[in-house]
Amino acid sequence: MKALVLGASGATGKLVVGQLIKKNVFTRILIRKSAVLPKEIAENPLVETVKGNINQLGASEINNLVQSCNVVISCLGHNVSLKGMFGHPRYLVLDAIQSLSEAVRKNKIKKVKFILMSTTAYTNTLFGEKNSIGERIIFSILTTLLPPHRDNVKAANFMINEFGKHDEIIEWVAVRPDTLINDDVESAYEICESPVRSPIFNAGKTSRINVSHFMAELVTDEELWRKWVFKTPVIYNK
């Protein structure tokens, strides 16, 4: 088994890599040239580091990224700055998922797991989820004014529409944490099919370490994967 992790130098991404190392999963990571990794990741023999920006890679470089990988994990996110929020690339996550899935199909890799870090701000209307009037108004404003939110929505919709509930090559799970917090250690958490509280008016909390733990479990625990495959589970701290 080999996993490809995008956004591996980010706050959640590096925790995901750490969890995969604990499980002895060979991991290829793509990081920016300027990114700094913790020593335990940078010098770990289980980790292969590739430097570059996903939106600047050519087709052959994308093909090399997915080569021999049967898991793709995206922890990509936009930088919290004016340029990161409103500059290019506007569809960082969507474009990455599209290009990587095309490369997987061209390489004829069978049964690849795609795990997308999404958010409870994404409403899975295609699976019957509904928002209150107040939530719809706020989400509509966010979609219009904040390109990163629009990117997250389009990326999740692409996976649902493109791969659906059955795909011979690509299986997927979009993990939706609520308000992200930083904790040093894992704690008890619960997984729900849909939000059980309003992400706008009654948001819960989800520690990044718990998100990374759940994602790593999805990689190695086949029974858990079969439970959540082709779904958008929500994760909350208990």
Side-chain angles (χ1 to χ4, degrees), residues 20-219:
L20 294 174
I21 289 172
K22 288 181 182 179
K23 293 179 176 294
N24 291 314
V25 176
F26 289 97
T27 306
R28 178 179 294 147
I29 63 175
L30 177 67
I31 61 172
R32 298 185 307 276
K33 293 181 179 179
S34 59
V36 178
L37 292 171
K39 184 177 180 180
E40 56 269 23
I41 292 177
E43 298 181 2
N44 195 288
L46 289 172
V47 177
E48 174 191 354
T49 301
V50 179
K51 293 192 175 183
N53 294 330
I54 184 68
N55 60 298
Q56 296 175 349
L57 299 184
S60 62
E61 293 170 304
I62 295 289
N63 287 338
N64 290 337
L65 266 187
V66 302
Q67 193 68 45
S68 74
C69 291
N70 46 19
V71 178
V72 176
I73 301 175
S74 172
C75 294
L76 288 170
H78 296 254
N79 291 328
V80 185
S81 64
L82 283 176
K83 182 178 179 181
M85 298 285 282
F86 299 102
H88 293 282
R90 290 292 182 91
Y91 296 116
L92 172 68
V93 183
L94 173 63
D95 291 346
I97 294 298
Q98 288 178 324
S99 60
L100 289 168
S101 61
E102 289 173 5
V104 164
R105 294 191 189 284
K106 287 179 181 177
N107 279 277
K108 298 181 180 179
I109 305 171
K110 293 285 180 76
K111 290 300 178 187
V112 175
K113 295 180 178 180
F114 266 64
I115 302 174
L116 172 68
M117 182 173 171
S118 188
T119 168
T120 51
Y122 172 72
T123 304
N124 192 344
T125 56
L126 297 174
F127 281 25
E129 294 180 3
K130 297 180 180 180
N131 293 316
S132 67
I133 293 176
E135 289 168 340
R136 289 202 299 271
I137 292 172
I138 293 176
F139 282 143
S140 177
I141 293 172
L142 291 176
T143 302
T144 301
L145 298 181
L146 291 180
H149 176 64
R150 188 161 60 246
D151 185 18
N152 285 330
V153 170
K154 286 182 174 292
N157 280 341
F158 173 80
M159 293 182 74
I160 292 173
N161 289 316
E162 181 71 16
F163 312 135
K165 295 183 179 181
H166 175 74
D167 190 282
E168 293 183 357
I169 297 177
I170 296 174
E171 297 183 336
W172 62 269
V173 173
V175 179
R176 292 185 288 173
D178 213 340
T179 305
L180 285 166
I181 61 173
N182 294 317
D183 281 334
D184 294 330
V185 296
E186 300 153 19
S187 61
Y189 60 83
E190 61 180 334
I191 308 297
C192 308
E193 287 203 4
S194 296
V196 296
R197 53 196 305 162
S198 170
I200 298 295
F201 302 111
N202 185 32
K205 295 181 179 180
T206 312
S207 63
R208 297 178 188 275
I209 191 70
N210 285 345
V211 176
S212 69
H213 181 271
F214 179 54
M215 285 184 165
E217 289 293 303
L218 287 170
V219 171

